[in-house]
Amino acid sequence: MKLKASNSRDADDDSETLDIKNHVPSLPWIVTGICYLICPMLMMLQRHILSKENKRRDREPADDAYDDVWVRASDESGNVVERKVDKAFLDLTDRQNRDFRYVL
């Protein structure tokens, strides 16, 4: 879309026509600059929240809810065998596994 400049001397001069897209050439740079400012602040906020969570978990008593888990499996000869499963292999989320600490 082309716009004509309002020049009283040469209203019909084609050299005075302007593209609308040329009026905002710095908009992508402004958005990029704002993102560069906001992202480090969000990272520091996340670090602060996770640090507080680590400290809170350090103050909690030890959670032994998943310490004694056994799984029944059959061996090569078909015998049923019970095996103890370590907490790391139970596929727990960070909220379920209270021994989990966030690496900062």
Side-chain angles (χ1 to χ4, degrees):
M1 182 173 168
K2 302 268 186 180
L3 294 177
K4 298 262 185 188
S6 59
N7 190 349
S8 61
R9 288 180 286 147
D10 300 305
D12 296 328
D13 188 14
D14 286 336
S15 65
E16 295 288 331
T17 60
L18 302 172
D19 260 335
I20 289 178
K21 64 183 178 182
N22 288 337
H23 288 288
V24 193
S26 61
L27 182 63
W29 292 109
I30 292 171
V31 171
T32 303
I34 290 171
C35 288
Y36 272 115
L37 292 173
I38 291 175
C39 285
M41 287 187 254
L42 290 175
M43 289 173 49
M44 293 305 291
L45 176 66
Q46 182 180 18
R47 186 181 195 290
H48 174 72
I49 291 170
L50 295 179
S51 175
K52 282 179 58 176
E53 179 67 19
N54 280 346
K55 290 176 185 175
R56 190 170 63 85
R57 288 183 183 199
D58 288 339
R59 289 190 307 264
E60 288 179 356
D63 182 25
D64 58 352
Y66 296 101
D67 286 343
D68 195 27
V69 177
W70 295 80
V71 175
R72 291 183 185 177
S74 57
D75 59 4
E76 298 84 26
S77 61
N79 298 328
V80 176
V81 180
E82 287 190 355
R83 295 183 184 155
K84 185 174 181 179
V85 179
D86 189 27
K87 189 185 275 191
F89 299 108
L90 289 178
D91 196 26
L92 300 174
T93 65
D94 56 336
R95 295 195 182 217
Q96 292 171 328
N97 184 0
R98 302 308 293 172
D99 292 331
F100 181 82
R101 297 298 181 266
Y102 298 101
V103 178
L104 303 176

